Amino acid sequence: MRKQKRRRRENRTDYKKRMGLLKSGCPRIVFRKTNRYIIAQYVTSKEAQDRIECGVSSRSLLEYGWPKELEGSLKSLPASYLSGLLFGKKILKKPVGKNKKPVVDIGLIKKIHKNRFFAFLKGLKDAGIGIECKEEFFPEENKIKGKNLKKDFSDNFEKIKSNIEKK
C-alpha cells in the first residue's frame, strides 16, 4: 500500500492540480474562505517556492467603512465582492500585477455558481483584472449589494465601494 502525503490525507492539497498550476508559470490569485473571513493572496512561484506578493482579508473592509455591528458578516456575498474589488485595486497598484495574466486558485472549495467565490471574481473583474468568466455564473446585483440580508445593506455597500475606489 502506498503512503499518502499528510496534506492529501487531510484534504488540504490536491497535488496534481498544484503541479499543473506551477508548470503554467503564471502568478496565482489564491482565494480561501475561513469561518469568519475571506482571504486572498497574489502568489508567484519560482522552483516550487511560493512567494506572496500581496494579500487582503475581508477584515480590512472595517477600515473602509464596514459597520462594526455587522462585523460577523465579513464572509457574506457583499464582503466577498468588496474584498475582490479591494484586492484587484491593490494588485494593479503593484508593478508585479501588470506582468502576466493571473490564474485563480480556489483549492479544494467546490465551484458552485453564484456563491461567494464568484462574487469575489466579479469584484476582481470590476477592478480591472483580466479574468475570464461567464456573466451567468455571477450572483445577482441585488444579492451582491446586500438587499436580501435581514438589514438592507445597499447604502453601506455604496459608501464602502466608493471609499475603495478613491484609494
Side-chain angles (χ1 to χ4, degrees), residues 18 22 45-50:
R18 177 167 167 74
L22 291 175
S45 295
K46 186 174 181 182
E47 298 175 7
Q49 303 251 331
D50 291 344

Side-chain angles (χ1 to χ4, degrees), residues 39 41 65 73 81 105 141 166:
I39 299 169
Q41 296 172 331
S73 63
Y81 173 83
D105 177 10
E141 200 65 33
K166 283 179 191 175

Side-chain angles (χ1 to χ4, degrees), residues 79-150:
S80 297
Y81 173 83
L82 292 170
S83 296
L85 187 68
L86 177 63
F87 188 56
K89 297 288 183 185
K90 200 171 187 180
I91 289 173
L92 290 176
K93 286 181 184 175
K94 301 244 181 202
V96 134
K98 298 173 184 168
N99 295 344
K100 292 183 179 178
K101 188 175 176 183
V103 177
V104 180
D105 177 10
I106 62 170
L108 297 173
I109 298 173
K110 291 182 182 178
K111 287 184 194 174
I112 300 172
H113 303 307
K114 301 184 181 193
N115 69 355
R116 294 177 197 143
F117 167 66
F118 285 101
F120 175 80
L121 270 186
K122 182 161 176 56
L124 281 177
K125 196 170 185 179
D126 290 351
I129 304 294
I131 291 179
E132 296 175 18
C133 185
K134 293 181 182 177
E135 289 290 325
E136 63 197 44
F137 295 161
F138 297 140
E140 293 85 28
E141 200 65 33
N142 289 341
K143 288 188 176 183
I144 288 177
K145 289 185 178 180
K147 290 185 178 180
N148 64 324
L149 301 176
K150 289 180 185 175

